[in-house]
Every structure is written in structure tokens, then in C-alpha cells.
Amino acid sequence: NSRLKQALEGKDAKDQEKKKKKFIGNHPQIQEILEKINVVAKTKTTILLYGESGTGKEIVARLIYDLSLRRDKPFVVIDCTTIPENLLESELFGHEKGAFTGATAQKKGKFELAHSGTIFIDEIADLPLLLQGKLLRVLETGEIEHVGGEKVIQTDARVIVATNRRLDEMVRKNEFRKDLYFRVNTISLT
């Protein structure tokens, strides 16, 4: 039993090293980011990733997940720019049958699917203000409600968010909730 455990732990360490190598480069900034990723991956806190489009924010999020204690649990991605605003709430939190036209069955949302794992919310700056309040509630309480539902559902998902926009500037312009900004900006990587 102990040999098997040691073999699996050795394999796990090798797998983690392979995943880190997806991040190619010897530039000091890349090495600094890798060091930060190693530290934050082991925490449970929410992480904010800043970067221009195409700079690899999802790759960083997956690396954090791969190095975390939740790596054997679900990794769920939602991109706020690819889902119509009127469906985004249902995608995040799920819905009950009959909650709206076309809701022919109950559907779990991304937070339920990510339970005990990690949810990556890409382009959080595009999340409508109303949904920002609901996301804040999830981050504070770990509770969601389906669209059209009355039952409170507990969820435990590590949250990683990303954006290519300056959230602090959006807060000043009242385009992004200040309380949500402080909640997601616990640890930020640029």
C-alpha cells in the first residue's frame, strides 16, 4: 500500500511538472508568474487574472487548477462574452422547468457543475450589474438559487475570474460593483 501511494505521489509530481512546462519561457516575468501560481494554487481564495485578449488567462487558470487540491474535481469554464445576457443567469445558476419560455426541464448551472471543484469566469467585466450582485452573494455565502426556483442550494467552488479591462476604472465609472471588485481582487495576477 505504501509503495503504491509513493508511486502515485511521484507520478502526480511528474504530471504537475509537465503541466507547468506548457507555460514556455525563461523570461523573468514568466518565472515570477509561475512562482506566484505555485503559491496561489494551494489557497482556496478567489483569484483575479488580468491580461489582454490572447495572453493565456485560461491557460493560467487551468494551471492553477491543475496544481490545486481540487485538481481531481470539476473545472468549469464560462465566458461572459459568448452567452447572451438573457441566458447568462441561467447558465451560471441553473433554472427550473417552466422558469421561462424554452425551459422544458430543470438544468444545473455552472456553479452546481463546479461544486467541490473550480469555476473559471472569463471576461467578468462583461457581467451585467444585476448578475454582479448575484455573483457577490455566491462568493459571500456559497448559496445559489435556480432561476424560477425557491430552494437555496449550497455550492463550494473555487472561483477564478479573468478580464482584459481595468475593473478599478469600471468601479469609478459605476460600471462594476465596488463590493464585488474587492471580493474578486483578493489575489490578482497580471
Side-chain angles (χ1 to χ4, degrees):
N1 235 359
S2 65
R3 276 193 215 167
L4 178 60
K5 184 178 178 185
Q6 287 174 344
L8 289 174
E9 286 172 354
K11 182 183 182 304
D12 192 41
K14 288 177 188 174
D15 287 346
Q16 289 181 15
E17 280 305 310
K18 283 181 188 175
K19 288 172 183 171
K20 283 185 208 174
K21 288 181 182 175
K22 285 182 189 176
F23 226 79
I24 299 173
N26 291 324
H27 194 278
Q29 284 181 318
I30 290 179
Q31 295 308 311
E32 184 181 328
I33 289 173
L34 284 172
E35 288 173 23
K36 287 179 181 178
I37 288 170
N38 275 322
V39 172
V40 301
K42 294 171 180 52
T43 69
K44 293 180 182 180
T45 191
T46 302
I47 297 173
L48 171 61
L49 304 176
Y50 274 115
E52 295 300 317
S53 295
T55 56
K57 294 181 296 289
E58 186 170 343
I59 292 169
V60 171
R62 284 187 186 275
L63 183 56
I64 291 168
Y65 162 76
D66 287 340
L67 297 173
S68 77
L69 299 175
R70 296 176 183 243
R71 67 183 160 269
D72 296 325
K73 305 295 183 191
F75 180 79
V76 177
V77 177
I78 184 163
D79 184 340
C80 296
T81 62
T82 61
I83 298 168
E85 190 173 320
N86 62 332
L87 296 178
L88 201 49
E89 182 177 10
S90 172
E91 286 296 314
L92 282 168
F93 309 118
H95 64 258
E96 294 296 321
K97 179 179 178 178
F100 51 85
T101 304
T104 57
Q106 183 188 60
K107 180 183 175 192
K108 289 183 178 183
K110 300 294 187 184
F111 272 96
E112 275 182 280
L113 297 173
H115 180 68
S116 75
T118 301
I119 183 168
F120 174 56
I121 304 173
D122 200 7
E123 300 305 343
I124 192 172
D126 291 305
L127 194 64
L129 282 169
L130 174 67
L131 291 182
Q132 290 177 26
K134 292 183 178 197
L135 176 58
L136 179 64
R137 180 172 183 258
V138 175
L139 294 174
E140 290 176 340
T141 66
E143 297 176 347
I144 61 168
E145 288 181 36
H146 287 170
V147 174
E150 297 175 358
K151 187 175 104 181
V152 173
I153 301 165
Q154 288 292 319
T155 184
D156 173 29
R158 200 256 182 98
V159 178
I160 302 173
V161 301
T163 184
N164 62 4
R165 294 167 60 193
R166 295 284 311 265
L167 294 182
D168 56 342
E169 291 175 9
M170 292 181 70
V171 167
R172 278 194 289 281
K173 294 176 185 175
N174 292 321
E175 296 172 348
F176 197 86
R177 289 181 61 125
K178 186 176 186 177
D179 47 3
L180 180 59
Y181 172 67
F182 288 117
R183 181 63 70 167
V184 299
N185 196 29
T186 310
I187 297 175
S188 76
L189 297 175
T190 304

